[in-house]
Amino acid sequence: AYRFATRQEWDCFYRGCKCKAILSHSQQRKGSLTAIAERGKVVVVSRGMLKALNRPFDVNIPNVDHYECEVAKASTFIGFCNLHDTSLFASIETSRLTPNSEEQVLAFYRRALSYEFAQEQTVYQFLKCRYDLLRGNGYCCKHYLLPTC
């Protein structure tokens, strides 16, 4: 169900835009992600929180699954079309970060809100899919079984 929810096509979040959304980065691809990458990959924490919470707690064993992921796919969400993703976040993607820049603060704020909205949308689709499965309609999970990274 989660894989189905993350494979949906969404319209761009920008009001009035009907273009299809691309995978937007929640973190700066050319900034923080590239800075921590090794050989073009970063370590990503798995979103499988239920799996982590169901394990016995041991301070010596990390309770989080992680894996390597290409920078291009890491920390992404389905948010804006290419045009709006590029224009809305240009101040933090293509310019040097400047302390107290209102434009950059607004871009980071917009990105954080967009990421959270995308997560809520994914959760909604996940729960809708689970509900459909419980009702005997398993279509949503039969056709979307690709890994997320």
Side-chain angles (χ1 to χ4, degrees):
Y2 176 77
R3 288 180 181 158
F4 171 77
T6 58
R7 293 286 179 229
Q8 294 298 295
E9 285 191 358
W10 304 100
D11 286 340
C12 176
F13 286 170
Y14 196 85
R15 184 175 293 172
C17 182
K18 296 298 178 194
C19 294
K20 294 299 176 197
I22 62 169
L23 288 177
S24 301
H25 285 270
S26 65
Q27 305 297 316
Q28 296 167 267
R29 181 178 177 183
K30 295 178 182 173
S32 56
L33 288 176
T34 301
I36 64 171
E38 290 183 7
R39 299 175 316 280
K41 295 188 176 191
V42 293
V43 175
V44 176
V45 175
S46 173
R47 292 186 174 143
M49 291 305 294
L50 285 176
K51 189 175 178 183
L53 292 173
N54 286 329
R55 286 194 209 145
F57 179 74
D58 183 344
V59 292
N60 299 314
I61 301 172
N63 211 19
V64 177
D65 288 333
H66 59 281
Y67 55 94
E68 280 192 349
C69 186
E70 296 172 24
V71 171
K73 295 180 182 178
S75 190
T76 57
F77 64 98
I78 302 169
F80 296 93
C81 68
N82 190 50
L83 172 70
H84 290 115
D85 186 70
T86 301
S87 62
L88 291 170
F89 304 114
S91 66
I92 57 177
E93 286 290 345
T94 60
S95 303
R96 187 179 179 110
L97 295 182
T98 307
N100 303 319
S101 165
E102 288 184 21
E103 182 181 9
Q104 290 179 337
V105 168
L106 180 60
F108 278 116
Y109 180 70
R110 184 182 296 123
R111 181 176 271 168
L113 286 177
S114 301
Y115 175 78
E116 288 302 320
F117 181 72
Q119 295 307 306
E120 293 301 321
Q121 222 173 10
T122 300
V123 168
Y124 170 77
Q125 287 299 321
F126 169 78
L127 293 174
K128 185 176 181 298
C129 182
R130 296 289 296 188
Y131 177 75
D132 287 347
L133 285 171
L134 290 172
R135 292 182 62 214
N137 177 8
Y139 172 79
C140 66
C141 295
K142 290 178 185 174
H143 301 285
Y144 296 91
L145 299 175
L146 300 172
T148 57
C149 187

